[in-house]
Amino acid sequence: MYLTRFRLNTGRPRARRLLGSPHLMHGAVNLAFPEPPPRGGQGPRVLWRVDMNAEGRADLYVVSPQRPDLTHLVEQAGWPALDTPGWTTFDYGGFLERLAVGGTWAFRLTANPVHYVRRPQDPPDAPTKRTAHVTPRHQLAWLLKQEERAGFEIVRKPPERRLTERGDECEVLVRDVMPLRFKKGAKSGEPVRFTRVTFDGRLRVTDLAAFRRTLTHGLGKAKAYGCGLMTLAPVT
């Protein structure tokens, strides 16, 4: 497994187009591999996420079973005149092997929190429909429901740091909530709709096998469009 970081040159029109279209970015990430990355099956898949900071810097992160070649992105959305390759790839497999139960990490996850509902006007036997959680409280509740299956638990704040009237007992921040709507192409039918949310916080590993699967298979829906990738950093 590999973890790759690529900085986009936001001064380039192509970079801005990629940042504005999860569909185009999905295609650009796929072009980093000779064969189309598998989306089904039991093996690890390609996951990606774009992080934007307050100064306008944009970093693309990719987790993949194969080492990517992002030359095309350097040429279209990077700094091709520089001598450096334009991206950095790390041995992610070695990092995953060093994880341990009980380890505490800072994490970032961009995800698509959803639930399944039946409208009041629908008959009782009608199938439920997938819909986005739209409030931070429900989005956080979605994340907490993933804990056991995903192999981690969100670190809880000590009682003296809790603002009980807000229910913020968890070491996690819900931010950058963004409803997205786009078509896959000019001739495509119904547009793709989902809500993208970023969680920043602290977690503790509880199930090593399940947690490694979360980091390599993703968490939640819309993985092809920049959701599902969780990254870790040492707690400071």
Side-chain angles (χ1 to χ4, degrees), residues 104-107 171 201-202 233-236:
T104 302
W105 296 87
F107 76 91
E171 290 273 8
R202 295 187 180 190
V235 173
T236 56

Side-chain angles (χ1 to χ4, degrees), residues 37-86:
R39 295 180 59 181
Q42 299 301 311
R45 60 173 295 161
V46 173
L47 303 167
W48 64 270
R49 184 185 80 219
V50 173
D51 286 358
M52 300 285 297
N53 69 13
E55 290 74 36
R57 171 168 173 156
D59 289 296
L60 169 68
Y61 289 89
V62 180
V63 164
S64 56
Q66 294 85 36
R67 182 184 290 271
D69 181 349
L70 300 180
T71 303
H72 64 295
L73 273 178
V74 175
E75 294 170 347
Q76 298 174 15
W79 286 268
L82 299 182
D83 294 332
T84 56

Side-chain angles (χ1 to χ4, degrees), residues 156-162 169 171:
R156 269 52 173 185
K157 297 177 183 178
E160 63 272 16
R161 290 182 52 207
R162 297 180 185 177
E169 69 275 10
E171 290 273 8

